[in-house]
Amino acid sequence: MIFSPTRLEGAYIIEMERRVDERGFFARTWCAQEFARHGLADTLIQCGMSHNVQRGTLRGMHYQSAPYGEDKVVQCLAGAIHDVIVDLRSSSPTYCQWLGVELTAHNGRMIYVPPGFAHGLITLADDTRVGYFMGREHAPRAEAGVRFDDPAFGIEWPLPVSVISERDRQWPDYVP
């Protein structure tokens, strides 16, 4: 696995090192030892998956409030997404900055999202599946979010939103 730091402190793009032969390829998507070597959470507690039927489906921007902040690795399993993270840690030098990265089933990239970040995505293809690998158990009482179009961040989405839940549409503006 290849870990590349992003411009947001503590967030990484992770590339799979593929072992290719006539059958296709094999690659690791998780290794506790490699995560620990990079100073990242090395415990995998929970996994989830979302299926998104239509291109332009937006999920986010979600996070778990302290003290239940969760770290996660996000990977596109089928289709393609534009994945976005926002640093909400007030003590961070990258506070309120965002990063968008294209994750596809083809490129195999993953993103490590540290605790204290909001996370969201928009699908770039129909029939897209996304895997979520969390280092902490989900705590429903700590669910929180900010609007995908909050002017505090100025996130630039690559296409218009065609599907969004009412809950995600109604997250409040972020007050730094």
Side-chain angles (χ1 to χ4, degrees):
M1 299 169 68
I2 302 165
F3 291 75
S4 301
T6 70
R7 62 180 175 76
L8 299 186
E9 187 173 301
Y12 287 80
I13 302 298
I14 304 168
E15 307 265 352
M16 296 185 294
E17 291 185 275
R18 298 176 184 204
R19 308 255 190 282
V20 179
D21 65 20
E22 64 278 355
R23 299 168 295 175
F25 75 86
F26 175 84
R28 282 182 296 143
T29 57
W30 178 262
C31 177
Q33 194 173 46
E34 288 192 46
F35 274 72
R37 200 171 21 248
H38 287 86
L40 306 178
D42 60 356
T43 304
L44 182 59
I45 300 293
Q46 202 169 50
C47 299
M49 183 179 73
S50 68
H51 175 243
N52 306 277
V53 176
Q54 187 175 327
R55 179 179 189 260
T57 298
L58 191 133
R59 292 179 181 266
M61 300 292 296
H62 306 140
Y63 65 95
Q64 288 200 168
S65 55
Y68 301 98
E70 65 183 5
D71 54 322
K72 61 183 144 193
V73 175
V74 180
Q75 179 183 31
C76 185
L77 305 170
I81 62 173
H82 181 75
D83 200 84
V84 174
I85 57 175
V86 177
D87 188 349
L88 298 179
R89 303 168 300 172
S90 59
S91 61
S92 169
T94 56
Y95 179 55
C96 286
Q97 293 180 31
W98 66 274
L99 175 74
V101 63
E102 187 171 306
L103 306 179
T104 71
H106 180 72
N107 72 23
R109 281 190 201 119
M110 299 174 280
I111 189 164
Y112 174 81
V113 185
F117 276 63
H119 172 261
L121 62 88
I122 191 165
T123 58
L124 303 175
D126 292 342
D127 198 28
T128 293
R129 290 195 173 110
V130 181
Y132 306 85
F133 309 94
M134 281 80 72
R136 180 181 195 126
E137 188 173 330
H138 181 71
R141 66 189 170 279
E143 290 176 353
V146 294
R147 276 198 0 253
F148 73 98
D149 59 353
D150 190 324
F153 311 119
I155 298 169
E156 297 172 12
W157 297 96
L159 56 108
V161 175
S162 58
V163 179
I164 185 172
S165 71
E166 194 58 35
R167 181 176 183 206
D168 284 351
R169 184 184 311 283
Q170 293 184 9
W171 286 118
D173 283 343
Y174 185 71
V175 181

